Amino acid sequence: NSQDLIEVGVIMGKGKRFLNKHKNTILFYVPSLILAFFVLYLIGFDKVKEELIDFGIFNTGVVVLIYIIRDTILAFAWMRLLGGGNFYTLFTANTVGVAVNAITPGAMAGEAVKGIILSKNSNHGNIASTVFMLNIGYYVTTFFMLSISMIVCIFIVDKNQFFEYFMAFFGAVFLFFSIFLFFGVAFISDLAKKLVRKINLLSQHRSGKWLIEVLSTLKDDAKGEKRKKFMEMTAIQILVRFADITVQYYVWKIIFPSSGLFEALFFYSMRMVVQWMTNLIPSGWGVMEGAAYAVSETGWFPQVEAVMQQFIVRLCKLIASVLYLLHYSVFERFGSRGV
């Protein structure tokens, strides 16, 4: 009996250590995965399996390839901001950051990872400032595309006048944010720098001093000679947004052949809005599928295909992220030696 008690104590000790070690994973991932499981249960696991088989390996490869092209374009935009650098190193830093964003709450941890990897392997330009500018460009172009999609909805969806006013209002709001961010980089960075300086605990700390320096550089870059590069980078990132919509459109055409560009634009918009609303949930698993399930109940879209469209897109993005992380292990072993 005493031996049994010892074994039980050992097992409980191991369980406690496991919970302590993985408590953040359990806190952030398990609820969202349970929600995803529940949504898939609602549409039926047999139907999910059927849809995945019908989509097939070839189409999965096409979508993953679009993601790789998309993230290659992002690396090129980063290189334009830096004014040079080793493209292979930039591509590696960017794609690993993309992968980390796909699997961590908040989708922001990858930005630090991008800077760290590039700092280890390059001394070209102010890396931290360009990471900030890349993200500003992301929001500028995303708000712009959201505005376009809202306006398209007005002309395509046959709804009442209230719906048209509603979409026009949000289209105007998104367009305002896009323009404000594009022309207000210097103003925003200067305002953020003043706020950091007012917080004594932060401004006196090493991280606060670093942040002030980065924000000062960002302000100078937005107003100085890098202004043109920022404009070029923003134009390049428009291509990234089109790549995102292309993924939505391609998946829709495979699982729901009678669909068109409207469905792709609508679900691209929905995904972006819901993603910001659920920023603490890694990758939005379950939440995105649940939103698609709810929207499809309005009768605009077939319910099963609406959920599977989001689910398949995320699976393909996860596959791309795994490939990026595998590539990074090769880069660390061989590639970084030649940089």
Side-chain angles (χ1 to χ4, degrees):
N1 288 337
S2 60
Q3 184 64 31
D4 291 342
L5 288 173
I6 292 172
E7 290 180 359
V8 170
V10 170
I11 293 172
M12 290 180 65
K14 288 182 178 179
K16 187 176 181 180
R17 286 194 296 272
F18 177 85
L19 289 174
N20 288 333
K21 184 177 180 181
H22 300 284
K23 60 184 178 182
N24 289 331
T25 300
I26 295 171
L27 175 64
F28 287 111
Y29 285 86
V30 172
S32 60
L33 292 178
I34 290 175
L35 180 57
F37 180 88
F38 179 68
V39 174
L40 297 179
Y41 165 77
L42 289 176
I43 69 173
F45 293 117
D46 290 339
K47 186 62 178 176
V48 172
K49 181 180 178 182
E50 180 185 332
E51 292 285 344
L52 290 174
I53 292 173
D54 289 344
F55 192 75
I57 295 175
F58 174 80
N59 292 317
T60 300
V62 171
V63 176
V64 171
L65 179 61
I66 295 173
Y67 275 124
I68 293 174
I69 294 172
R70 169 195 186 277
D71 296 321
T72 301
I73 293 171
L74 270 176
F76 179 74
W78 197 2
M79 188 170 71
R80 291 297 300 167
L81 277 178
L82 285 168
N86 183 285
F87 182 80
Y88 180 59
T89 305
L90 282 161
F91 174 81
T92 302
N94 178 67
T95 52
V96 173
V98 169
V100 171
N101 279 339
I103 58 176
T104 54
M108 287 300 291
E111 308 315 310
V113 172
K114 291 177 186 179
I116 291 169
I117 293 176
L118 192 57
S119 297
K120 284 172 56 180
N121 298 284
S122 175
N123 294 316
H124 203 290
N126 191 303
I127 295 169
S129 173
T130 57
V131 170
F132 273 85
M133 292 183 81
L134 276 173
N135 277 275
I136 291 171
Y138 166 82
Y139 286 109
V140 167
T141 53
T142 299
F143 281 132
F144 177 75
M145 295 306 294
L146 281 170
S147 176
I148 295 297
S149 65
M150 295 296 173
I151 294 171
V152 168
C153 285
I154 295 174
F155 293 100
I156 294 181
V157 179
D158 186 18
K159 292 291 178 181
N160 58 38
Q161 198 171 38
F162 173 78
F163 174 83
E164 292 181 355
Y165 287 145
F166 179 82
M167 299 300 282
F169 172 76
F170 276 100
V173 169
F174 286 132
L175 184 60
F176 168 78
F177 279 122
S178 177
I179 295 172
F180 175 75
L181 285 174
F182 182 75
F183 290 102
V185 176
F187 170 77
I188 295 170
S189 57
D190 189 49
L191 180 63
K193 185 173 65 174
K194 290 177 180 178
L195 289 174
V196 172
R197 283 176 172 167
K198 286 184 177 181
I199 305 174
N200 292 329
L201 184 63
L202 179 59
S203 62
Q204 299 302 318
H205 194 269
R206 184 173 61 181
S207 60
K209 293 177 180 177
W210 171 83
L211 184 58
I212 290 172
E213 181 183 344
V214 171
L215 290 170
S216 297
T217 305
L218 182 60
K219 177 183 176 181
D220 294 338
D221 288 346
K223 296 178 67 176
E225 60 181 19
K226 280 196 174 181
R227 177 67 179 174
K228 183 179 179 182
K229 292 179 181 178
F230 175 66
M231 294 176 69
E232 290 178 358
M233 180 274 297
T234 305
I236 292 170
Q237 283 206 344
I238 288 288
L239 298 176
V240 174
R241 304 281 76 79
F242 277 114
D244 290 336
I245 295 173
T246 299
V247 167
Q248 303 278 159
Y249 180 71
Y250 184 86
V251 175
W252 261 121
K253 293 301 290 185
I254 298 299
I255 65 176
F256 185 42
S258 63
S259 63
L261 183 60
F262 165 67
E263 286 82 0
L265 281 170
F266 186 89
F267 272 90
Y268 166 79
S269 304
M270 187 196 73
R271 181 170 62 85
M272 288 292 100
V273 173
V274 174
Q275 187 171 318
W276 292 330
M277 292 170 62
T278 59
N279 214 24
L280 289 178
I281 298 176
S283 305
W285 285 96
V287 177
M288 292 304 305
E289 285 75 17
Y293 190 88
V295 170
S296 63
E297 285 190 326
T298 62
W300 294 0
F301 306 101
Q303 198 167 60
V304 174
E305 284 77 3
V307 175
M308 290 307 301
Q309 199 272 347
Q310 295 299 312
F311 187 67
I312 289 172
V313 166
R314 194 163 5 265
L315 279 178
C316 292
K317 194 169 187 178
L318 191 61
I319 292 170
S321 296
V322 171
L323 293 175
Y324 294 154
L325 293 174
L326 289 173
H327 163 257
Y328 181 60
S329 67
V330 175
F331 173 84
E332 278 289 277
R333 184 170 296 181
F334 304 108
S336 59
R337 297 175 186 175
V339 176

